[in-house]
Structures are given as C-alpha cells and as structure tokens.
Amino acid sequence: MRIIIATIFPDFVKVVKEYGVISQAVKDGKLEIEILNLRDFTQDKHKTVDDYPYGGGPGMVMKPEPFYRLYDYVVEKYGKPFVVMTSPQGERFDNKIAMFLSKKENLLILCGRYEGVDERVMKIVDLELSIGDYVLSGGELAAMVICDAVSRFVPGVVEEESLRQDSFFNNLLDHPHYTRPAIFREMKVPEVLLSGNHEEIELYRLSESLKRTAIKRPDLFLKHEFTEKDKQALILLIRGLDKKC
C-alpha cells in the first residue's frame, strides 16, 4: 500500500514514518509513505497556496490550483488514488474506516489549513474525515493519526494476533495487561495469568474485555455480536461477581 500526504509542512508530517512499526514496515517495503509539499505545485515565485475569501470574512482560504496540480501528478505517476480530506465537517474516523482505507492501493490524504479549502477541491475528494469534534490548526495531525491507524491493518505491518487483541476490534476494548514483578506495592497480578493454563487465561482476558467495554463503552458493547466463547466468558464473569456478593 502507498499513503501519500499532501501538506504545506512536510517536515512536520514526515515523523509519522520514522518511528515504531511503521518505520520498520517502510524499511521492509511492506508500506510506502510519500510526503508531498503542496507549495511545489504552485506556479508563482512566492509559492502561494492561499488567498482572501470571496464575499469577505476573516482569515485566508487555500487555493484550488495547487491541490489539482498535485492530484494530477499523483494520477499520472500512480493511477487514480482514493482521496481523503481532513476536515472537522467530515465523517468521524474509526477502526472500521481504517480497515476500509487499508485495502486501497493508493491513498492520498489532503491536509487543509487556514479558514478552509476552496470548495471546488471537493470534486476530487472521495471521503472527508474528522478525528473528533474539535478544531486543529491544520489537517496534519489528523492525517498522521489516519496514516498510523490505517497502516496497522496493512498485511505484515502488525501481527494479526496483536490486531485481534486491540481495542475496538469486534467492538470490544482491550483487556488489562500486566508484566513483572508479580507483586508491586502490594498489588498482585491476577493468579490466572500466572497459572500457565492458556485456555483459562484466554477466557479470563475475554471476560475482562467484555466487562471493560460494558462499563466504559456501553455503546460498543451493545453493537458486539456475541460468540459462544463470549458467552462462556460472561458466565465466568458473572460467577466471579456472585462470589463477591
């Protein structure tokens, strides 16, 4: 998969491909991340990407020409990409959308700035995405979040077993995690995790995942489709609660 990010601050964005599992995936050739400077697609000596809004009002608006020239460049070089525009008006980005985008061969993310982007740019946009109900100085941080989340679903970037245990997979939050020491300031690691019984450990973790989701994100819990294993985990959870009563 290839992810292309269009921005006026390429040095700010490039950090997304320089650390962690994404960096390793890029080195291994499993993922390609290209950062394009929108100013390179202007035609004036000042490399102007914004102008005053028609109709008046505060701030500046990003011009359509650089976006279209950049888009044409990408199409000529790689073929037609799937285009995402970062925007507070967009659809809320989530795990399901990240999985959907990870199946695209070429993903182009456009980063807006200032008061917004000329509306005519939307003609080349396939999907507007927001990472939350708040306003950022620009779309770069949102683009990096989208890039990171999407990259995790590209085959070979993250182990499949690890993905299945991530929060939001199958509408469940992740289970609690523990490491050494077994006792820290009188707080003990649950005995089942020290038992070596992998079947019991798996059931315990699933029950804790279900409990966390029901308490912290009941909206996700209600969407979850319960398997036979889930029902066994719920029985374990209810029995544990019954013992405490």
Side-chain angles (χ1 to χ4, degrees), residues 127-163:
L127 181 63
E128 277 187 278
L129 285 179
S130 166
I131 61 169
D133 293 340
Y134 45 85
V135 177
L136 298 169
S137 301
E140 284 76 16
L141 286 172
M144 293 165 72
V145 167
I146 293 167
C147 180
D148 189 288
V150 169
S151 297
R152 292 177 59 80
F153 288 107
V154 175
V157 175
V158 177
E159 290 183 13
E160 190 174 342
E161 182 63 27
S162 180
L163 286 176

Side-chain angles (χ1 to χ4, degrees), residues 185-203:
R185 296 192 177 183
E186 300 183 0
M187 293 180 285
K188 297 181 179 180
V189 172
E191 289 184 13
V192 64
L193 298 178
L194 307 176
S195 68
N197 188 321
H198 296 294
E199 188 174 338
E200 288 185 4
I201 290 172
E202 183 184 356
L203 204 58

Side-chain angles (χ1 to χ4, degrees), residues 76-137:
E76 185 177 348
K77 187 175 182 181
Y78 301 119
K80 188 181 183 305
F82 188 89
V83 183
V84 166
M85 171 70 77
T86 58
S87 165
Q89 301 176 25
E91 184 177 349
R92 182 73 68 86
F93 182 63
D94 59 17
N95 217 42
K96 186 177 179 181
I97 294 175
M99 292 177 70
F100 166 74
L101 293 177
S102 72
K103 295 176 172 59
K104 303 299 179 183
E105 184 177 352
N106 292 300
L107 175 63
L108 172 59
I109 307 175
L110 306 178
C111 300
R113 277 260 157 187
Y114 310 121
E115 286 300 308
V117 176
D118 188 295
E119 186 64 21
R120 289 167 289 188
V121 175
M122 297 311 299
K123 190 171 182 179
I124 60 172
V125 172
D126 297 297
L127 181 63
E128 277 187 278
L129 285 179
S130 166
I131 61 169
D133 293 340
Y134 45 85
V135 177
L136 298 169
S137 301

Side-chain angles (χ1 to χ4, degrees), residues 24-241:
Q24 191 59 51
V26 170
K27 290 176 183 176
D28 293 343
K30 297 172 182 175
L31 176 68
E32 184 178 333
I33 298 177
E34 186 173 353
I35 315 297
L36 295 180
N37 189 341
L38 200 62
R39 294 190 188 278
D40 291 339
F41 296 87
T42 57
Q43 290 187 315
D44 66 303
K45 65 178 181 180
H46 301 295
K47 297 186 178 293
T48 307
V49 295
D50 61 317
D51 208 335
Y52 294 103
Y54 277 122
M60 305 291 278
V61 175
M62 297 193 80
K63 295 164 64 66
E65 298 100 315
F67 284 102
Y68 272 87
R69 291 194 187 98
L70 184 146
Y71 174 78
D72 291 342
Y73 166 82
V74 172
V75 170
E76 185 177 348
K77 187 175 182 181
Y78 301 119
K80 188 181 183 305
F82 188 89
V83 183
V84 166
M85 171 70 77
T86 58
S87 165
Q89 301 176 25
E91 184 177 349
R92 182 73 68 86
F93 182 63
D94 59 17
N95 217 42
K96 186 177 179 181
I97 294 175
M99 292 177 70
F100 166 74
L101 293 177
S102 72
K103 295 176 172 59
K104 303 299 179 183
E105 184 177 352
N106 292 300
L107 175 63
L108 172 59
I109 307 175
L110 306 178
C111 300
R113 277 260 157 187
Y114 310 121
E115 286 300 308
V117 176
D118 188 295
E119 186 64 21
R120 289 167 289 188
V121 175
M122 297 311 299
K123 190 171 182 179
I124 60 172
V125 172
D126 297 297
L127 181 63
E128 277 187 278
L129 285 179
S130 166
I131 61 169
D133 293 340
Y134 45 85
V135 177
L136 298 169
S137 301
E140 284 76 16
L141 286 172
M144 293 165 72
V145 167
I146 293 167
C147 180
D148 189 288
V150 169
S151 297
R152 292 177 59 80
F153 288 107
V154 175
V157 175
V158 177
E159 290 183 13
E160 190 174 342
E161 182 63 27
S162 180
L163 286 176
R164 283 200 293 267
Q165 293 181 6
D166 279 347
S167 289
F168 306 112
F169 191 86
N170 289 333
N171 290 317
L172 290 179
L173 300 182
D174 198 5
H175 58 76
H177 294 271
Y178 297 89
T179 187
R180 294 171 179 150
I183 301 175
F184 175 70
R185 296 192 177 183
E186 300 183 0
M187 293 180 285
K188 297 181 179 180
V189 172
E191 289 184 13
V192 64
L193 298 178
L194 307 176
S195 68
N197 188 321
H198 296 294
E199 188 174 338
E200 288 185 4
I201 290 172
E202 183 184 356
L203 204 58
Y204 164 78
R205 284 175 168 169
L206 181 54
S207 69
E208 288 296 303
S209 177
L210 289 164
K211 181 174 74 173
R212 273 192 171 187
T213 308
I215 294 171
K216 295 183 176 183
R217 291 293 303 273
D219 57 316
L220 291 177
F221 186 82
L222 292 172
K223 293 178 184 177
H224 179 67
E225 294 183 9
F226 287 84
T227 65
E228 194 65 32
K229 200 75 173 177
D230 292 331
K231 294 172 184 176
Q232 293 175 19
L234 281 174
I235 291 171
L236 176 67
L237 185 61
I238 293 167
R239 283 176 175 171
L241 292 172

